[in-house]
Amino acid sequence: MIIARVALLRRMPRRIDVLDYSVPEGLSVSRGDLVLVPFRSLLTRAVVISVGETEPGGKLRPLTSLLAPKAMSETDLRVFETTAKQLVQSTSTVLREVFTNQAPRPSASETPRPSIRQTEVPFVKQAIETVRSTAECFIEVLDFVQAVALVEAIRKTIPGPHRVFVPHHHDAALIDGAMTRLAGLELNTPSVVDIVVRSGIPEHASYDRNPRYDAREILALQHKETKRKLVFIDVAPRVVDLAAFETILQAPTELIEPPQIIDLVDQKKAGFTSLLTEPILAATTEALQSGKSVLLSLNRKGVSTGLRCKDCGFSPLCKSCGGSPTVYEDHMECHRCGVSAPIATSCAKCGSVKLTQRGVGNQQVKKRLQELFPGVEVVVVEKPDKKSPAPSRSRKQQVIIATRYYLDAVLNPLDPPSFGLVADVLGDIGLSDPAYTAGENVLHHLLELRGVAYRAKCPFLVQTWDKQLMDKMLLDPHGYLEEERALRKLVSLPPYGILYKLTTRGETTIEEIKQRLHNALAGLTVREHTERKHHVLEILIPNGRSGNLPSVLKQLPDDVIIERV
């Protein structure tokens, strides 16, 4: 009897990759064919993974029909099978995403085309020659405008077809035909050159639902299986890019004025207790007097970051998830879980009414700027909730206090406001993030802000509590990233190891997971902690030491969320 092993195009438990069906007489199927099969009480589509013979007498349900021969090429099938293995997902779950989420190619909105300076032309020509002469490369640019100009130059000078990937729909609206991460799962794409713009932005990965995948990793797999060129473009490489790309073309930083780095320790000694220090206020005054707008980056919402009891030092926590609620003018809100509550008036631990606000939020900075610059519009731009209106894109003179959301979803780099100052009010704020990528994420954000200042031909200021570190990051970014790379190699963090993050979302406990994985975890680094009331187990595997762990992980219940981070 001829049997076909197929992957159903539906979400399946991670332990079930294929199901067996008998092939009726007269029907010929082969690997990569799209077929129709019975499953439970329904008919569902499936992809043939393999065909073979078995002894007669087995009771298997027969295939219903052949829908499309060779619906998947051998290359695509290998890529997505490998992807499923890396993600510890069933092949069925990944292929379902491939067949149901074919990404459209949007047309860019009517915005001015990128216009770079004459001094940038030699670098763009050098970048084109680098792309032409290498199979894969990382091109470092000064800003998004230079990146778009480079994309257009690649399209004009290097034969296609080309695919361009961006992290956000906002970016796709600025580059004609650009696609977001879903396009990484496209089938049978006749691409010759794959270009990833803003390659360091985390949103190239999808971790909000299964299958949890990173489009950049899928493109790298496709590159290994095909002769496509692979080009990453951004203001700086990630540490994993330093290891992945032999060719990295650095940006022409000689075109940029060095940033002014302000030591908050010195400012505090001089009597400035607010984040609005003398250099920031002087630069803001100068920009406004010249008729320009001001962009102040501060990735902190609310009036303050929390409360603290003066008597016992206790800080109120969110009763829902245990996070630290942000203080607004009339309420407190936890940005982990979205729960709001009245502002506490007494300490829940000792009963004292001596509660003080700690940390400075963007609303507090806005209030102070309105006092200092009456008559100037001061706006806060942050990700709106369901009740908030979309942020204004007004072009009149104003002071913009922006969270990360402004760069990702509001600013049009091809047609920006006329800035007279770009500043990060607290440049090292993201270094408190427990993620091992915190440092490179902070650097990336600062370099994007530097690019906005460069294009506006205005000063770029950064305030920090650690000037020595900030000097290293901004005055020698590659030296900083190489130090990060050496540290990761020392402790086997990616790219020198694999980090799995297991989160319990159902009845399965961390203890049960550890018992199931007991033998496979021998010699590996394991860390246990809590995120938003969910128990998390992180497993760090040095390269070449995975043993049988991936196959054991595949047998875990599906209420355990597995991410490769």
Side-chain angles (χ1 to χ4, degrees):
M1 179 171 63
I2 305 298
I3 65 165
R5 294 196 151 187
V6 306
L8 305 181
L9 299 188
R10 57 187 297 147
R11 289 197 177 97
M12 296 290 288
R14 62 172 63 94
R15 64 184 180 278
I16 301 178
D17 273 313
V18 295
L19 296 176
D20 291 349
Y21 289 86
S22 64
V23 180
E25 284 190 31
L27 182 63
S28 177
V29 296
S30 60
R31 178 171 162 84
D33 290 351
L34 184 65
V35 295
L36 194 65
V37 300
F39 180 71
R40 295 175 181 163
S41 59
L42 301 172
L43 293 177
T44 188
R45 295 181 303 163
V47 173
V48 176
I49 301 300
S50 64
V51 178
E53 294 187 9
T54 187
E55 294 295 327
K59 294 182 179 179
L60 296 177
R61 301 178 74 179
L63 291 174
T64 301
S65 61
L66 172 64
L67 296 178
K70 297 300 179 186
M72 290 192 73
S73 69
E74 178 60 30
T75 297
D76 278 344
L77 197 46
R78 283 201 306 269
V79 165
F80 295 126
E81 284 177 317
T82 303
T83 299
K85 185 177 180 180
Q86 287 186 350
L87 300 178
V88 195
Q89 288 285 340
S90 67
T91 304
S92 291
T93 298
V94 172
L95 293 187
R96 175 195 177 277
E97 200 78 2
V98 170
F99 275 84
T100 58
N101 284 324
Q102 295 306 296
R105 291 177 178 264
S107 295
S109 59
E110 293 185 6
T111 57
R113 302 321 306 149
S115 177
I116 60 174
R117 299 167 196 164
Q118 194 62 35
T119 53
E120 299 175 61
V121 173
F123 171 74
V124 173
K125 290 181 177 179
Q126 183 185 8
I128 291 297
E129 287 307 310
T130 301
V131 175
R132 194 193 307 276
S133 61
T134 59
E136 57 180 11
C137 59
F138 186 99
I139 307 295
E140 186 179 295
V141 292
L142 295 177
D143 70 338
F144 184 82
V145 176
Q146 198 173 77
V148 177
L150 181 55
V151 169
E152 290 194 352
I154 292 173
R155 284 172 159 171
K156 289 179 181 178
T157 59
I158 297 178
H162 311 85
R163 290 194 300 175
V164 181
F165 297 84
V166 292
H168 303 116
H169 292 286
H170 175 66
D171 303 315
L174 303 175
I175 304 178
D176 191 45
M179 302 167 288
T180 56
R181 60 179 178 261
L182 287 176
L185 298 174
E186 280 191 329
L187 279 175
N188 305 323
T189 309
S191 171
V192 173
V193 185
D194 284 344
I195 308 168
V196 183
V197 180
R198 298 185 77 199
S199 59
I201 299 295
E203 282 75 15
H204 279 290
S206 174
Y207 289 138
D208 53 351
R209 63 187 180 89
N210 283 339
R212 289 165 166 78
Y213 66 92
D214 190 324
R216 295 165 296 191
E217 294 181 359
I218 292 175
L219 293 173
L221 278 173
Q222 291 174 347
H223 166 73
K224 291 178 181 178
E225 293 285 347
T226 66
K227 295 182 179 180
R228 296 174 185 165
K229 287 182 178 291
L230 182 62
V231 184
F232 277 24
I233 301 175
D234 210 337
V235 293
R238 299 170 297 158
V239 173
V240 295
D241 296 329
L242 294 178
F245 291 96
E246 291 186 6
T247 302
I248 296 180
L249 180 62
Q250 296 188 24
T253 52
E254 67 274 6
L255 302 179
I256 289 187
E257 291 292 328
Q260 181 181 348
I261 301 175
I262 302 165
D263 191 341
L264 287 171
V265 175
D266 289 344
Q267 291 295 314
K268 188 174 182 179
K269 290 177 181 177
F272 286 89
T273 58
S274 165
L275 291 179
L276 294 174
T277 62
E278 190 278 331
I280 285 283
L281 292 177
T284 298
T285 300
E286 183 177 346
L288 294 174
Q289 287 177 345
S290 64
K292 301 293 185 70
S293 293
V294 173
L295 175 59
L296 302 179
S297 174
L298 179 59
N299 204 38
R300 276 183 176 172
K301 293 184 176 183
V303 174
S304 66
T305 56
L307 298 175
R308 178 182 287 118
C309 176
K310 275 189 174 182
D311 287 342
C312 71
F314 178 75
S315 295
L317 299 177
C318 174
K319 295 180 180 179
S320 175
C321 72
S324 179
T326 297
V327 180
Y328 288 85
E329 291 186 356
D330 57 357
H331 71 288
M332 298 177 69
E333 183 175 336
C334 178
H335 293 295
R336 275 189 173 184
C337 63
V339 171
S340 295
I343 298 176
T345 56
S346 60
C347 177
K349 185 175 182 180
C350 71
S352 170
V353 294
K354 297 179 181 179
L355 296 180
T356 61
Q357 294 183 358
R358 56 182 177 84
V360 177
N362 51 31
Q363 296 292 340
Q364 187 176 151
V365 173
K366 175 183 177 180
K367 183 177 181 180
R368 181 59 179 152
L369 285 169
Q370 287 174 325
E371 294 172 352
L372 293 171
F373 301 99
V376 175
E377 183 182 15
V378 181
V379 296
V380 171
V381 181
E382 58 190 30
K383 187 174 183 179
D385 56 30
K386 294 179 180 179
K387 300 177 182 178
S388 303
S392 169
R393 287 181 168 85
S394 171
R395 296 184 59 80
K396 64 183 180 180
Q397 183 192 29
Q398 56 186 353
V399 177
I400 300 171
I401 307 169
T403 64
R404 174 74 209 179
Y405 177 76
Y406 181 73
L407 291 180
D408 289 339
V410 179
L411 176 67
N412 180 349
L414 304 181
D415 188 23
S418 179
F419 290 124
L421 169 67
V422 175
D424 197 308
V425 178
L426 190 53
D428 42 20
I429 191 172
L431 294 175
S432 59
D433 190 324
Y436 68 92
T437 56
E440 68 178 28
N441 292 341
V442 167
L443 174 62
H444 189 279
H445 177 66
L446 291 172
L447 293 181
E448 283 202 315
L449 287 173
R450 184 190 70 175
V452 175
Y454 163 73
R455 194 58 57 184
K457 298 182 181 179
C458 73
F460 175 47
L461 277 63
V462 179
Q463 297 191 145
T464 177
W465 290 105
D466 190 340
K467 189 173 186 300
Q468 184 178 2
L469 175 62
M470 198 57 62
D471 283 343
K472 166 64 77 174
M473 294 178 77
L474 287 175
L475 303 181
D476 184 16
H478 282 266
Y480 172 79
L481 290 170
E482 285 294 349
E483 288 183 4
E484 284 282 296
R485 180 182 183 180
L487 287 172
R488 291 197 197 176
K489 189 173 184 179
L490 187 65
V491 295
S492 299
L493 280 168
Y496 303 102
I498 300 171
L499 183 62
Y500 285 113
K501 177 180 172 183
L502 281 57
T503 308
T504 61
R505 296 288 178 89
E507 297 181 357
T508 306
T509 66
I510 288 292
E511 285 305 315
E512 290 172 333
I513 294 173
K514 289 163 67 175
Q515 289 176 8
R516 286 173 179 252
L517 302 179
H518 178 71
N519 294 331
L521 292 179
L524 301 181
T525 302
V526 179
R527 185 170 79 98
E528 188 177 340
H529 62 284
T530 301
E531 289 182 9
R532 303 186 184 184
K533 284 196 170 180
H534 294 296
H535 297 294
V536 176
L537 190 71
E538 289 184 350
I539 306 171
L540 181 60
I541 312 169
N543 287 345
R545 295 263 311 274
S546 61
N548 68 337
L549 180 62
S551 59
V552 178
L553 288 175
K554 208 168 173 65
Q555 302 304 313
L556 289 176
D558 285 315
D559 65 350
V560 179
I561 306 300
I562 301 177
E563 300 174 40
R564 179 170 164 165
V565 295

